[in-house]
Amino acid sequence: MLHKTLIKFNSKNVFKILPVRFSALFINGSKATENFAFIVPHVDFPNLMKNKDMLQTMIIKRKSNYDLHKLENLWEVYNDLRNLKLQQEKSKSKLSKELSELLKLKNEGNEVEKFKIQINLIKENIKNLKSPLWSAEEAAMVEALNVPNLLHKLTPDQENNVIFQHKSPPSTTKNHNVVGKQKNLFKYVQNTHTLVYLLGDAALFELGSKFYFSDFLKRSKYIQFSNPDFVKSLVVEGCGVDHTDPTSTFILHHNDDTAFNKDKRLHLTGAGSLYSFLAYHTKNVIYGKVLPLKYFSLGRQYTPTGKEENHSLFNLSQSSAVQIFGVARDNNELDELLEEILCMVKTLFNELDYHYRLSYVAADKIHVWESLRVSIEMYSTSLKKYIEIGHLSLIGDFMSKRLLFTYTDNKEAKFPHILSGTILNIPKFLGCVLEQDEEFSIPDVFRVENWPKKVI
């Protein structure tokens, strides 16, 4: 993954392309002979910079340290080198044509030799340009792929905006770990604070919640997916996440000492994750007439968590979850899909009759790949703050462009707009339920007698 350092001088600045860059998503040049390039992400730089001022404003709202000026400089270096190579190739073509005409006339001597020398020099120049051009292209493309997603008009600038609340927060001082121990509801794995076994009524609570949500989603015309637990590095990076960061995903490492490629590893993300849905749709083409698509999955989510001294259901690295995935033609259809899902979420949680609220998350608190985030929150009396037990994320065409997920409309390929989210993280939900004012009991809709008959 090493590249020669390229430096460009001008009257104002010195621009340098870093000698080492890692990207699983964009592969070019000499790397393409060693690694198969599954996809070439779509990056429309001129269109991206068309609304430069608006993009800069959104970067400021996100409180991001992304340097838009650096991107422009890198792209300028790349364009200059590309244009220089094109000029050289044009000159070579012109000289070759003239040489061919001279040879047809059977002219020989100094003039023919002169043309041959010029052509050979140009060939050498083109050869020498190849490596720095590849480095410049990779530097510019990787930097362009790091540009944050555009913000949705509903994303608040500073503080979260509560848009709905059901009932009032509990007034008790319960701690879910104390209640769980008293009722023998779960057991943490020894020597770790992030894995837990659910026991008795807690296990029934988990299964019941899955069946309750899945039954409602199926009746709402959502199609259940069976997703993989593992995805490749290019999918992780395609989702806007650093595929080399061990705090973002669980990365499978090689046990031997042989050299391995950091851009070609597997990541344990779980079947109930956004990554798994995108793995299926990467480089996929669908018919526009089937949109919008409405999918969901039941499965595990694996997320690295920080080390904490105390056990907590709010800080698990493995969780059962209900994940949804929606695909629309454009932003307008995506907004309609969001409204539909929000109504569905209200119906599901209102039936359970616990206190919860829905909030638009502030620009500086959402992920770089999110345009809008709706947080589903319940109050924890032990932590004295709200816990996110679920969320919905508007992504737009940010990921579909990176992973070449397209649909056809009048024989034209277009990038669909995506909505996804974990509408229920079961351990976090259980933790908040155990801290309610009322004595813990399994909700009626979660009870065994209400499970699907084929399960019982």
Side-chain angles (χ1 to χ4, degrees):
M1 307 300 280
L2 292 175
H3 304 279
K4 293 180 181 179
T5 303
L6 173 67
I7 303 176
K8 178 189 176 183
F9 297 89
N10 66 13
S11 58
K12 296 181 180 180
N13 297 295
V14 177
F15 307 133
K16 180 161 61 174
I17 294 173
L18 298 177
V20 180
R21 306 192 72 85
F22 290 103
S23 177
L25 193 59
F26 180 73
I27 298 174
N28 73 333
S30 58
K31 285 168 58 181
T33 61
E34 303 169 6
N35 305 283
F36 180 74
F38 290 94
I39 57 175
V40 179
H42 176 82
V43 175
D44 186 355
F45 181 77
N47 190 53
L48 182 68
M49 301 307 294
K50 193 178 292 182
N51 298 315
K52 179 183 172 183
D53 292 339
M54 182 182 71
L55 184 58
Q56 185 61 53
T57 301
M58 290 186 175
I59 289 172
I60 293 171
K61 287 181 179 179
R62 285 180 177 271
K63 296 181 181 178
S64 169
N65 58 3
Y66 187 84
D67 189 347
L68 207 55
H69 184 59
K70 177 184 175 184
L71 172 61
E72 288 183 288
N73 292 338
L74 287 171
W75 208 268
E76 183 185 348
V77 173
Y78 167 54
N79 265 334
D80 287 349
L81 285 171
R82 184 175 59 177
N83 291 335
L84 181 58
K85 183 173 180 287
L86 290 172
Q87 289 171 8
Q88 294 286 323
E89 288 175 341
K90 188 176 180 181
S91 297
K92 174 178 167 290
S93 179
K94 182 182 177 182
L95 289 171
S96 296
K97 189 175 181 181
E98 291 178 7
L99 177 61
S100 179
E101 292 296 326
L102 282 174
L103 293 173
K104 283 181 182 178
L105 297 173
K106 297 185 178 180
N107 287 342
E108 296 182 4
N110 292 335
E111 194 171 1
V112 171
E113 193 64 29
K114 180 182 175 182
F115 272 103
K116 287 182 178 179
I117 291 172
Q118 286 180 312
I119 290 171
N120 286 333
L121 285 172
I122 291 174
K123 283 182 179 178
E124 189 66 25
N125 288 338
I126 293 173
K127 181 181 177 181
N128 291 335
L129 274 173
K130 192 178 292 183
S131 181
L133 178 59
W134 285 342
S135 295
E137 182 186 32
E138 183 182 30
M141 286 292 290
V142 170
E143 195 65 29
L145 289 170
N146 287 332
V147 175
N149 198 358
L150 296 175
L151 294 175
H152 192 277
K153 61 185 178 182
L154 293 176
T155 299
D157 290 346
Q158 296 177 340
E159 299 296 326
N160 291 9
N161 179 22
V162 178
I163 59 172
F164 178 81
Q165 178 169 307
H166 181 74
K167 300 182 72 173
S168 299
S171 57
T172 183
T173 57
K174 289 181 181 178
N175 183 304
H176 67 271
N177 282 319
V178 175
V179 177
K181 186 175 181 179
Q182 290 172 347
K183 295 181 176 292
N184 194 30
L185 294 175
F186 46 81
K187 178 184 178 182
Y188 290 99
V189 178
Q190 192 175 7
N191 299 324
T192 178
H193 303 291
T194 59
L195 297 173
V196 67
Y197 290 113
L198 299 183
L199 310 171
D201 283 352
L204 295 175
F205 181 95
E206 178 188 34
L207 291 172
S209 61
K210 284 183 179 180
F211 294 138
Y212 170 65
F213 273 75
S214 64
D215 180 62
F216 187 94
L217 289 166
K218 288 175 183 176
R219 286 189 281 110
S220 301
K221 308 301 181 184
Y222 277 72
I223 299 171
Q224 185 170 0
F225 250 61
S226 179
N227 287 327
D229 281 320
F230 297 92
V231 300
K232 293 183 177 180
S233 293
L234 76 90
V235 174
V236 174
E237 188 180 345
C239 291
V241 177
D242 184 357
H243 67 287
T244 64
D245 181 10
T247 65
S248 296
T249 60
F250 286 112
I251 306 171
L252 271 66
H253 292 281
H254 293 251
N255 290 327
D256 55 27
D257 295 329
T258 58
F260 67 93
N261 191 331
K262 286 188 176 182
D263 299 332
K264 295 175 65 176
R265 294 186 288 185
L266 286 176
H267 301 250
L268 177 63
T269 59
S273 69
L274 169 62
Y275 303 106
S276 296
F277 274 113
L278 264 301
Y280 177 84
H281 290 91
T282 293
K283 208 175 179 180
N284 203 347
V285 182
I286 58 176
Y287 291 109
K289 62 183 180 182
V290 304
L291 297 175
L293 298 177
K294 302 175 184 179
Y295 300 145
F296 79 96
S297 67
L298 304 176
R300 302 289 187 189
Q301 286 183 353
Y302 299 97
T303 309
T305 57
K307 294 181 179 179
E308 291 194 2
E309 295 181 1
N310 299 319
H311 297 301
S312 175
L313 293 179
F314 303 143
N315 190 48
L316 299 178
S317 57
Q318 174 181 300
S319 302
S320 296
V322 182
Q323 181 80 14
I324 63 168
F325 184 81
V327 183
R329 293 176 182 83
D330 51 37
N331 277 323
N332 292 331
E333 190 171 71
L334 196 68
D335 286 345
E336 292 174 4
L337 188 59
L338 174 64
E339 286 301 316
E340 176 189 307
I341 295 173
L342 284 176
C343 290
M344 189 171 66
V345 167
K346 290 176 185 177
T347 302
L348 281 163
F349 281 96
N350 287 353
E351 174 70 21
L352 300 174
D353 208 29
Y354 298 117
H355 163 68
Y356 75 97
R357 71 182 190 184
L358 303 176
S359 304
Y360 290 139
V361 181
D364 63 326
K365 296 182 181 70
I366 64 177
H367 297 291
V368 295
W369 48 267
E370 291 177 307
S371 173
L372 173 70
R373 185 183 183 94
V374 182
S375 181
I376 308 169
E377 301 172 306
M378 290 181 68
Y379 190 76
S380 166
T381 56
S382 62
L383 298 181
K384 300 189 185 313
K385 67 176 184 179
Y386 278 91
I387 297 295
E388 184 177 86
I389 62 163
H391 72 274
L392 297 168
S393 298
L394 286 191
I395 304 166
D397 59 4
F398 181 82
M399 292 181 184
S400 56
K401 286 181 176 179
R402 297 163 70 92
L403 293 170
L404 294 188
F405 174 29
T406 60
Y407 73 93
T408 55
D409 183 23
N410 294 324
K411 298 183 179 180
E412 181 183 356
K414 295 182 178 180
F415 295 102
H417 290 241
I418 296 170
L419 177 156
S420 188
T422 303
I423 58 173
L424 183 68
N425 180 297
I426 296 173
K428 290 182 178 180
F429 178 51
L430 174 61
C432 290
V433 169
L434 291 175
E435 296 181 359
Q436 297 294 304
D437 291 335
E438 300 81 10
E439 190 73 14
F440 171 73
S441 64
I442 301 175
D444 289 340
V445 290
F446 290 2
R447 293 189 177 278
V448 175
E449 54 267 29
N450 291 315
W451 292 3
K453 292 182 180 178
K454 60 181 179 181
V455 175
I456 301 173

